[in-house]
Amino acid sequence: MAQWLKQAISKQDKDEAQQQVRETVEKLLADIETRGDMAVRELSKRFDNWEPEEFKLSEAQIQACINRLDSGTLDDIRFAQDQIRNFAQIQRDSMKDVEEETLPGVILGHRHIPMNRVGSYVPGGKFPMVASAHMSVVTAKVAGVKEIITCAPPFQGNPADAIVAAQSMGGADSIYVLGGVQAVAAMALGTESFPAVDMLVGPGNAYVAEAKRQLYGRVGIDLFAGPTETLVIADETVDGEMCATDLLGQAEHGPTSPAVLLTNSTELAKQTMEEVEHQLNTLSTKNTAAPAWRDYGQVIVADSYDEMVEIANQLAFEHVQVMTDRDDWFLENMSNYGSLFLGPRTNVSYGDKVIGTNHTLPTLKAARYTGGLWVGKFIKTCTYQKVLTDEATVKVGEYCSRLCQLEGFAGHQEQADLRVRRYRKEAA
């Protein structure tokens, strides 16, 4: 039976905080839907103190942002985008259109059709999340999306140069400097100056995530997102320093970001807890990471590797770092996770920034039923059918007629019967 050496705050406390977020977002969305650009501008001023003449950047403004970056930074952005583009292309190449004759004269098929217009949100108010631009814009481009609109908040009172560069280099068609609920609402609902998109993608804070949840249905979304989650699964093959580093590396995302150690070693568990406190003394982002660890951190000691897998699948966390003497065994036996990071030589930061897999991943147990953002999320798999012979439509029609009668659908039955009557004569 597993033991919890450290537990997070109660579910009730978490739910109360989320209820406040939900109510706030409902009011903001209603305001933007009613008043359009005027509401967007007022909210941008209120939340970000940002009220430019135009939220959309001109080509000259975009180039100015790029020009302010040194060549090394631009090279780093190119390298990261190359890795993400390469893996996205590998994924895209795995998706094949199909067309088969399933009965004599009956052709069934499907086509993979990219979306027409996608809105990408790139968070950046607290930290300029350059990598999020790669993950959404580059992947959408590989998928073949016709138009990519991007929004990111201002950073320290100006467009975030590195984010703008990444958006542009990734292939964005329009770049807006606008953050928060007002950004995702403007893209989803459309306003006088924002064309409405078909789908919203990209991470964000609790308010952005809730806005996407409430907008789902009017537009598609990549997935339901909550605070960043990280689960470190480790045994005595690694030490407390590495486990603590990997926990705090994700806890710094926000004060509600869960970071959990799951181990079969009480000694490693205690060593890691001590090391977390030691590292927090010098971590520059401790004002975020410390409350996340205090309120949402957990340390779980399991009796066996089998129990570790069972608990990990129940948690269904976004990021799962595995550092054990049997990493591939976890790959074979785990079923609920956003992305796996196998072995001590890799880590979640690689996936977040540069290695090539997408960092927009399911949270809040959504990994039970979906994976993360990938090229396929931007593509609709649409079926079609053709019946090429009179004999084929008569055969299918007779079956269809009887099945429609069984269900009591007279109009459906007549659709089939009409074909049977008409094409049986011609077939004869």
Side-chain angles (χ1 to χ4, degrees):
M1 180 70 69
Q3 293 182 316
W4 270 251
L5 300 191
K6 183 184 184 308
Q7 293 188 331
I9 62 174
S10 70
K11 182 179 183 298
Q12 180 180 350
D13 289 339
K14 296 177 185 177
D15 290 346
E16 288 175 358
Q18 185 59 33
Q19 179 62 29
Q20 183 271 324
V21 171
R22 185 177 301 117
E23 292 171 356
T24 299
V25 169
E26 285 176 356
K27 294 175 183 176
L28 295 177
L29 292 180
D31 188 26
I32 293 167
E33 186 167 24
T34 301
R35 298 193 299 126
D37 277 351
M38 185 179 296
V40 168
R41 184 165 291 277
E42 289 176 7
L43 293 172
S44 181
K45 174 67 174 176
R46 172 181 162 192
F47 292 122
D48 290 327
N49 195 29
W50 179 249
E51 196 178 15
E53 185 175 337
E54 295 287 344
F55 290 110
K56 183 178 179 180
L57 295 182
S58 67
E59 289 298 324
Q61 289 173 313
I62 293 169
Q63 192 58 51
C65 290
I66 295 171
N67 292 344
R68 283 192 288 269
L69 300 176
D70 61 74
S71 60
T73 298
L74 293 173
D75 286 344
D76 289 345
I77 291 173
R78 289 190 190 95
F79 178 84
Q81 292 193 347
D82 284 347
Q83 310 321 303
I84 293 151
R85 187 177 294 107
N86 179 56
F87 189 60
Q89 189 63 57
I90 291 169
Q91 292 179 308
R92 180 64 184 90
D93 291 344
S94 75
M95 302 176 67
K96 305 296 185 184
D97 291 352
V98 299
E99 183 175 282
E100 293 290 338
E101 188 171 20
T102 57
L103 291 169
V106 175
I107 305 295
L108 304 183
H110 74 224
R111 294 180 60 226
H112 295 301
I113 304 174
M115 295 182 187
N116 290 313
R117 181 185 291 143
V118 165
S120 160
Y121 183 75
V122 180
K126 183 180 295 183
F127 304 108
M129 298 284 285
V130 177
S132 290
H134 315 329
M135 302 297 171
S136 56
V137 177
V138 171
T139 309
K141 200 72 175 177
V142 172
V145 173
K146 293 179 181 178
E147 184 179 0
I148 304 168
I149 296 171
T150 62
C151 285
F155 182 68
Q156 298 178 350
N158 291 290
D161 291 341
I163 288 179
V164 173
Q167 291 168 321
S168 177
M169 294 161 66
D173 296 290
S174 300
I175 299 174
Y176 293 80
V177 180
L178 182 67
V181 173
Q182 57 271 23
V184 295
M187 290 189 288
L189 302 173
T191 70
E192 300 91 327
S193 59
F194 283 80
V197 302
D198 302 313
M199 181 180 184
L200 286 172
V201 299
N205 63 19
Y207 293 91
V208 168
E210 176 61 20
K212 287 172 62 181
R213 189 191 70 81
Q214 293 187 26
L215 290 164
Y216 176 61
R218 291 194 249 189
V219 293
I221 63 171
D222 44 5
L223 43 80
F224 294 115
T228 292
E229 305 165 342
T230 195
L231 172 65
V232 174
I233 298 176
D235 61 17
E236 290 183 340
T237 59
V238 291
D239 55 38
E241 179 186 16
M242 186 165 284
C243 293
T245 299
D246 288 343
L247 290 167
L248 292 178
Q250 295 302 302
E252 72 178 3
H253 270 282
T256 59
S257 293
V260 177
L261 172 67
L262 174 58
T263 181
N264 56 1
S265 168
T266 301
E267 181 180 348
L268 179 63
K270 292 179 178 178
Q271 185 186 96
T272 299
M273 288 192 289
E274 292 174 0
E275 185 64 28
V276 165
E277 299 304 325
H278 174 70
Q279 291 186 22
L280 281 172
N281 289 329
T282 57
L283 188 65
S284 64
T285 53
K286 64 182 178 182
N287 289 341
T288 301
W293 176 249
R294 180 192 67 221
D295 295 338
Y296 291 84
Q298 297 184 61
V299 176
I300 307 168
V301 180
D303 287 336
S304 66
Y305 289 101
D306 286 334
E307 188 175 38
M308 291 163 76
V309 166
E310 181 181 353
I311 293 170
N313 281 330
Q314 290 171 354
L315 291 172
F317 261 28
E318 175 187 16
H319 306 107
V320 180
Q321 171 83 42
V322 181
M323 297 181 289
T324 68
D325 65 5
R326 59 195 73 189
D327 299 336
D328 285 343
W329 181 84
F330 279 90
L331 174 63
E332 293 166 2
N333 287 279
M334 281 194 63
S335 57
N336 297 337
Y337 56 87
S339 189
L340 279 180
F341 303 82
L342 298 167
R345 292 179 181 83
T346 190
N347 62 84
V348 177
S349 183
Y350 286 5
D352 276 351
K353 308 302 179 187
V354 71
I355 205 166
T357 53
N358 206 289
H359 79 189
T360 304
L361 300 167
T363 63
L364 302 174
K365 294 185 179 293
R368 293 171 301 149
Y369 56 82
T370 187
L373 183 62
W374 70 296
V375 70
K377 289 275 188 177
F378 297 100
I379 293 172
K380 302 170 292 181
T381 302
C382 301
T383 60
Y384 63 90
Q385 56 181 274
K386 295 184 283 187
V387 181
L388 303 181
T389 67
D390 296 343
E391 293 82 3
T393 197
V394 169
K395 179 175 183 176
V396 174
E398 289 174 340
Y399 278 100
C400 183
S401 177
R402 293 192 295 270
L403 291 168
C404 291
Q405 185 178 33
L406 181 66
E407 294 179 353
F409 275 102
H412 284 65
Q413 184 178 1
E414 180 56 23
Q415 286 182 276
D417 288 346
L418 174 63
R419 270 74 182 180
V420 172
R421 292 194 302 269
R422 181 166 298 180
Y423 291 104
R424 174 178 284 148
K425 295 176 183 178
E426 296 179 11

Coordinates of all heavy atoms in Angstrom, one line a residue, residues 167-230:
Q167 N 6.9 33.6 -33.9 CA 5.7 33.5 -34.6 C 5.9 33.8 -36.1 O 5.3 33.0 -36.9 CB 4.7 34.6 -34.1 CG 4.2 34.3 -32.6 CD 3.5 35.5 -32.0 OE1 3.9 36.7 -32.2 NE2 2.4 35.3 -31.3
S168 N 6.7 34.8 -36.4 CA 6.9 35.1 -37.8 C 7.7 34.0 -38.5 O 7.4 33.5 -39.6 CB 7.7 36.4 -37.9 OG 8.0 36.7 -39.3
M169 N 8.8 33.6 -37.9 CA 9.6 32.5 -38.5 C 8.9 31.2 -38.6 O 9.2 30.4 -39.5 CB 10.9 32.4 -37.7 CG 11.8 33.6 -37.7 SD 13.0 33.7 -36.3 CE 14.1 32.3 -36.7
G170 N 7.9 31.0 -37.7 CA 7.2 29.7 -37.8 C 6.1 29.7 -38.9 O 5.6 28.6 -39.2
G171 N 5.8 30.9 -39.4 CA 4.8 30.9 -40.5 C 3.5 31.6 -40.2 O 2.6 31.4 -41.0
A172 N 3.4 32.4 -39.1 CA 2.1 33.0 -38.8 C 1.8 34.0 -39.9 O 2.6 34.7 -40.5 CB 2.2 33.7 -37.5
D173 N 0.5 34.1 -40.2 CA 0.0 35.1 -41.2 C -0.3 36.4 -40.6 O -0.2 37.5 -41.3 CB -1.2 34.5 -41.9 CG -0.9 33.2 -42.7 OD1 -0.2 33.3 -43.7 OD2 -1.3 32.2 -42.3
S174 N -0.8 36.5 -39.4 CA -1.1 37.7 -38.7 C -0.7 37.6 -37.3 O -0.9 36.6 -36.6 CB -2.6 38.0 -38.7 OG -3.1 38.1 -40.1
I175 N 0.0 38.7 -36.8 CA 0.5 38.7 -35.4 C -0.1 39.8 -34.6 O 0.0 41.0 -35.0 CB 2.0 38.7 -35.4 CG1 2.6 37.5 -36.1 CG2 2.6 38.8 -34.0 CD1 4.1 37.6 -36.3
Y176 N -0.8 39.5 -33.5 CA -1.4 40.5 -32.7 C -0.7 40.5 -31.3 O -0.4 39.5 -30.8 CB -2.9 40.2 -32.5 CG -3.7 40.4 -33.7 CD1 -3.8 39.3 -34.6 CD2 -4.5 41.5 -33.9 CE1 -4.6 39.4 -35.8 CE2 -5.3 41.6 -35.0 CZ -5.4 40.6 -36.0 OH -6.1 40.7 -37.1
V177 N -0.5 41.7 -30.8 CA 0.0 41.8 -29.4 C -1.2 42.1 -28.5 O -1.7 43.2 -28.3 CB 1.1 42.9 -29.3 CG1 1.6 43.0 -27.8 CG2 2.2 42.7 -30.2
L178 N -1.7 41.0 -27.9 CA -2.9 41.0 -27.1 C -2.9 39.8 -26.3 O -2.6 38.7 -26.8 CB -4.1 41.1 -28.0 CG -5.5 41.2 -27.3 CD1 -5.6 42.5 -26.5 CD2 -6.6 41.0 -28.2
G179 N -3.2 39.9 -25.0 CA -3.1 38.7 -24.1 C -4.4 38.4 -23.4 O -5.4 39.1 -23.5
G180 N -4.4 37.3 -22.7 CA -5.5 37.0 -21.8 C -6.8 36.5 -22.4 O -6.8 36.2 -23.6
V181 N -7.8 36.6 -21.6 CA -9.2 36.1 -22.1 C -9.6 37.0 -23.3 O -10.2 36.4 -24.3 CB -10.2 36.3 -21.0 CG1 -11.6 36.0 -21.5 CG2 -9.9 35.3 -19.9
Q182 N -9.2 38.2 -23.3 CA -9.6 39.1 -24.4 C -9.0 38.6 -25.8 O -9.6 38.8 -26.8 CB -9.2 40.6 -24.2 CG -7.8 40.9 -23.9 CD -7.4 40.7 -22.4 OE1 -8.1 40.1 -21.7 NE2 -6.3 41.4 -22.0
A183 N -7.8 38.0 -25.7 CA -7.2 37.6 -27.0 C -7.9 36.3 -27.5 O -8.3 36.3 -28.7 CB -5.7 37.3 -26.7
V184 N -8.1 35.3 -26.7 CA -8.7 34.1 -27.2 C -10.2 34.4 -27.5 O -10.7 33.8 -28.5 CB -8.6 32.9 -26.2 CG1 -7.1 32.6 -26.0 CG2 -9.2 33.3 -24.8
A185 N -10.9 35.2 -26.8 CA -12.3 35.6 -27.2 C -12.3 36.3 -28.5 O -13.2 36.0 -29.3 CB -12.9 36.4 -26.0
A186 N -11.4 37.2 -28.7 CA -11.4 38.0 -30.0 C -11.2 37.0 -31.2 O -11.9 37.2 -32.2 CB -10.4 39.1 -30.0
M187 N -10.3 36.1 -31.0 CA -10.0 35.2 -32.1 C -11.2 34.2 -32.3 O -11.6 33.9 -33.4 CB -8.8 34.4 -31.8 CG -7.5 35.2 -31.9 SD -6.0 34.2 -31.9 CE -5.9 33.7 -30.2
A188 N -11.8 33.7 -31.2 CA -12.9 32.8 -31.3 C -14.2 33.4 -31.8 O -14.9 32.8 -32.6 CB -13.1 32.1 -30.0
L189 N -14.5 34.5 -31.2 CA -15.8 35.1 -31.5 C -15.8 36.0 -32.8 O -16.8 36.2 -33.4 CB -16.3 35.9 -30.3 CG -16.5 35.1 -29.0 CD1 -16.8 36.1 -27.9 CD2 -17.6 34.1 -29.2
G190 N -14.6 36.6 -33.0 CA -14.5 37.6 -34.1 C -15.0 38.9 -33.6 O -16.0 39.0 -32.9
T191 N -14.3 40.0 -34.0 CA -14.7 41.3 -33.7 C -14.6 42.2 -35.0 O -14.3 41.6 -36.1 CB -13.9 41.9 -32.6 OG1 -12.5 42.2 -33.1 CG2 -13.8 41.0 -31.4
E192 N -14.7 43.5 -34.9 CA -14.5 44.3 -36.0 C -13.1 44.2 -36.6 O -13.0 44.3 -37.8 CB -14.8 45.8 -35.6 CG -16.2 46.1 -35.1 CD -16.3 45.9 -33.6 OE1 -15.6 45.1 -33.0 OE2 -17.1 46.7 -33.0
S193 N -12.1 43.9 -35.8 CA -10.8 43.9 -36.3 C -10.1 42.5 -36.2 O -9.0 42.3 -36.6 CB -9.9 44.9 -35.6 OG -9.9 44.6 -34.2
F194 N -10.8 41.5 -35.7 CA -10.3 40.1 -35.6 C -11.2 39.2 -36.3 O -12.4 39.0 -36.0 CB -10.3 39.7 -34.1 CG -9.2 40.2 -33.3 CD1 -9.3 41.5 -32.8 CD2 -8.0 39.5 -33.0 CE1 -8.2 42.0 -32.0 CE2 -7.0 40.0 -32.3 CZ -7.1 41.3 -31.7
P195 N -10.7 38.5 -37.4 CA -11.5 37.5 -38.0 C -11.7 36.3 -37.1 O -10.7 35.9 -36.4 CB -10.6 37.1 -39.3 CG -9.2 37.5 -38.9 CD -9.3 38.6 -37.9
A196 N -12.8 35.7 -37.1 CA -13.1 34.6 -36.3 C -12.4 33.3 -36.8 O -12.4 33.1 -38.0 CB -14.6 34.3 -36.2
V197 N -11.8 32.5 -35.9 CA -11.1 31.4 -36.3 C -11.9 30.1 -36.2 O -13.0 30.1 -35.6 CB -9.8 31.2 -35.5 CG1 -8.9 32.4 -35.6 CG2 -10.1 31.0 -34.0
D198 N -11.4 29.0 -36.7 CA -12.1 27.7 -36.6 C -11.7 26.9 -35.4 O -12.5 26.1 -34.9 CB -11.9 26.9 -37.9 CG -12.3 27.6 -39.1 OD1 -13.4 28.1 -39.2 OD2 -11.5 27.6 -40.1
M199 N -10.5 27.2 -34.9 CA -9.9 26.5 -33.8 C -9.0 27.3 -33.0 O -8.2 28.1 -33.6 CB -9.2 25.2 -34.3 CG -8.6 24.3 -33.3 SD -7.8 22.9 -34.0 CE -7.3 22.0 -32.6
L200 N -8.9 27.1 -31.7 CA -8.0 27.8 -30.8 C -7.0 26.8 -30.3 O -7.4 25.7 -29.9 CB -8.7 28.4 -29.6 CG -9.5 29.7 -29.8 CD1 -10.3 30.0 -28.5 CD2 -8.6 30.9 -30.2
V201 N -5.7 27.2 -30.3 CA -4.7 26.3 -29.7 C -3.7 27.1 -28.9 O -3.7 28.3 -29.0 CB -3.9 25.6 -30.8 CG1 -4.8 24.7 -31.6 CG2 -3.1 26.5 -31.7
G202 N -3.0 26.4 -28.0 CA -2.0 27.1 -27.2 C -2.4 27.1 -25.7 O -3.5 27.1 -25.3
P203 N -1.3 27.0 -24.9 CA -1.6 27.1 -23.4 C -1.8 28.5 -22.9 O -1.8 29.5 -23.7 CB -0.2 26.5 -22.9 CG 0.8 27.0 -23.9 CD 0.1 26.9 -25.2
G204 N -2.1 28.6 -21.6 CA -2.3 29.9 -21.0 C -2.5 29.7 -19.5 O -2.5 28.6 -19.0
N205 N -2.8 30.8 -18.8 CA -3.1 30.8 -17.4 C -4.5 30.2 -17.2 O -5.2 29.8 -18.1 CB -2.9 32.1 -16.7 CG -3.9 33.2 -17.3 OD1 -4.9 32.9 -17.8 ND2 -3.5 34.4 -17.0
A206 N -4.9 30.2 -15.9 CA -6.2 29.6 -15.6 C -7.3 30.2 -16.3 O -8.3 29.6 -16.6 CB -6.4 29.6 -14.0
Y207 N -7.2 31.5 -16.5 CA -8.3 32.3 -17.1 C -8.4 32.0 -18.6 O -9.5 31.9 -19.2 CB -8.2 33.8 -16.8 CG -8.3 34.1 -15.4 CD1 -7.3 34.1 -14.5 CD2 -9.6 34.4 -14.9 CE1 -7.4 34.4 -13.2 CE2 -9.8 34.7 -13.5 CZ -8.7 34.7 -12.7 OH -8.8 35.0 -11.3
V208 N -7.2 31.9 -19.2 CA -7.2 31.6 -20.7 C -7.7 30.1 -20.9 O -8.5 29.9 -21.8 CB -5.8 31.7 -21.2 CG1 -5.6 31.1 -22.6 CG2 -5.4 33.2 -21.3
A209 N -7.3 29.2 -20.0 CA -7.7 27.8 -20.1 C -9.2 27.7 -19.9 O -9.9 27.0 -20.7 CB -7.0 27.0 -19.1
E210 N -9.8 28.5 -19.0 CA -11.2 28.5 -18.8 C -12.0 29.1 -19.9 O -13.1 28.6 -20.3 CB -11.6 29.2 -17.5 CG -13.0 29.3 -17.2 CD -13.8 28.0 -17.0 OE1 -13.1 26.9 -16.8 OE2 -15.0 28.0 -17.1
A211 N -11.4 30.2 -20.5 CA -12.0 30.8 -21.7 C -12.1 29.8 -22.8 O -13.2 29.7 -23.5 CB -11.3 32.0 -22.1
K212 N -11.1 29.0 -23.1 CA -11.1 28.0 -24.1 C -12.2 27.0 -23.8 O -12.9 26.5 -24.7 CB -9.7 27.4 -24.3 CG -8.7 28.3 -24.9 CD -7.3 27.7 -24.9 CE -7.2 26.4 -25.6 NZ -5.8 25.8 -25.6
R213 N -12.3 26.6 -22.6 CA -13.3 25.6 -22.2 C -14.7 26.1 -22.5 O -15.5 25.4 -23.1 CB -13.1 25.2 -20.7 CG -14.0 24.0 -20.3 CD -14.1 23.9 -18.8 NE -14.8 25.0 -18.2 CZ -16.2 25.0 -18.1 NH1 -16.9 24.0 -18.7 NH2 -16.8 26.0 -17.6
Q214 N -14.9 27.4 -22.2 CA -16.3 27.9 -22.4 C -16.6 28.2 -23.9 O -17.7 28.2 -24.3 CB -16.5 29.2 -21.5 CG -16.5 28.9 -20.0 CD -16.8 30.1 -19.2 OE1 -17.5 31.0 -19.7 NE2 -16.4 30.1 -18.0
L215 N -15.5 28.4 -24.6 CA -15.7 28.7 -26.1 C -15.8 27.5 -26.9 O -16.2 27.5 -28.1 CB -14.5 29.6 -26.6 CG -14.5 31.0 -26.0 CD1 -13.2 31.7 -26.3 CD2 -15.6 31.8 -26.7
Y216 N -15.4 26.3 -26.3 CA -15.4 25.1 -27.1 C -16.8 24.8 -27.5 O -17.8 24.8 -26.8 CB -14.9 23.9 -26.2 CG -15.0 22.6 -26.8 CD1 -14.3 22.3 -28.0 CD2 -15.8 21.6 -26.3 CE1 -14.3 21.1 -28.6 CE2 -15.8 20.3 -26.9 CZ -15.1 20.1 -28.1 OH -15.1 18.9 -28.7
G217 N -17.0 24.4 -28.8 CA -18.3 24.2 -29.4 C -18.5 25.3 -30.4 O -18.9 25.0 -31.6
R218 N -18.3 26.5 -30.0 CA -18.3 27.6 -31.1 C -17.1 27.5 -31.9 O -17.1 27.8 -33.1 CB -18.4 29.0 -30.4 CG -19.7 29.2 -29.7 CD -19.9 30.6 -29.3 NE -19.8 30.8 -27.8 CZ -20.1 31.9 -27.2 NH1 -20.4 33.0 -27.9 NH2 -20.0 32.0 -25.9
V219 N -16.0 27.1 -31.3 CA -14.7 26.8 -32.1 C -14.2 25.5 -31.5 O -14.5 25.1 -30.4 CB -13.7 27.9 -31.9 CG1 -14.1 29.2 -32.6 CG2 -13.3 28.1 -30.5
G220 N -13.3 24.9 -32.3 CA -12.6 23.8 -31.8 C -11.5 24.2 -30.9 O -11.0 25.4 -31.0
I221 N -11.0 23.4 -30.0 CA -9.8 23.7 -29.2 C -8.8 22.5 -29.3 O -9.3 21.4 -29.6 CB -10.1 24.0 -27.8 CG1 -10.8 22.8 -27.1 CG2 -11.0 25.3 -27.7 CD1 -10.9 23.1 -25.5
D222 N -7.6 22.8 -29.0 CA -6.6 21.7 -29.0 C -6.9 20.6 -27.9 O -7.0 19.4 -28.1 CB -5.2 22.2 -28.9 CG -5.0 23.3 -27.8 OD1 -6.0 23.6 -27.1 OD2 -3.9 23.8 -27.7
L223 N -7.2 21.1 -26.7 CA -7.5 20.3 -25.6 C -7.9 21.1 -24.4 O -7.6 22.3 -24.3 CB -6.4 19.3 -25.2 CG -4.9 19.9 -25.2 CD1 -4.6 20.6 -23.9 CD2 -3.9 18.7 -25.4
F224 N -8.5 20.5 -23.4 CA -8.8 21.2 -22.1 C -7.6 21.3 -21.3 O -7.0 20.2 -21.0 CB -10.0 20.5 -21.4 CG -11.3 20.5 -22.1 CD1 -11.9 19.4 -22.5 CD2 -11.9 21.7 -22.3 CE1 -13.1 19.4 -23.2 CE2 -13.2 21.8 -23.0 CZ -13.7 20.6 -23.4
A225 N -7.2 22.4 -20.9 CA -5.9 22.6 -20.2 C -6.0 23.2 -18.9 O -6.9 24.0 -18.6 CB -5.0 23.5 -21.1
G226 N -5.2 22.7 -18.0 CA -5.1 23.3 -16.6 C -3.7 23.7 -16.3 O -2.8 23.7 -17.3
P227 N -3.3 23.9 -15.1 CA -1.9 24.2 -14.7 C -1.0 23.1 -15.2 O -1.4 21.9 -15.2 CB -2.0 24.3 -13.2 CG -3.4 24.6 -12.9 CD -4.2 23.9 -13.9
T228 N 0.2 23.4 -15.4 CA 1.3 22.4 -15.8 C 1.4 21.4 -14.7 O 1.4 21.7 -13.5 CB 2.6 23.1 -16.0 OG1 2.5 23.9 -17.2 CG2 3.7 22.1 -16.2
E229 N 1.5 20.1 -15.1 CA 1.7 19.0 -14.1 C 2.9 18.3 -14.5 O 3.2 18.0 -15.6 CB 0.5 18.0 -14.2 CG -0.9 18.6 -14.1 CD -2.0 17.7 -14.6 OE1 -1.7 16.8 -15.3 OE2 -3.1 17.9 -14.2
T230 N 3.7 17.8 -13.4 CA 4.8 17.0 -13.7 C 4.8 15.9 -12.6 O 4.6 16.1 -11.4 CB 6.1 17.7 -13.7 OG1 7.1 16.9 -14.3 CG2 6.6 18.2 -12.3

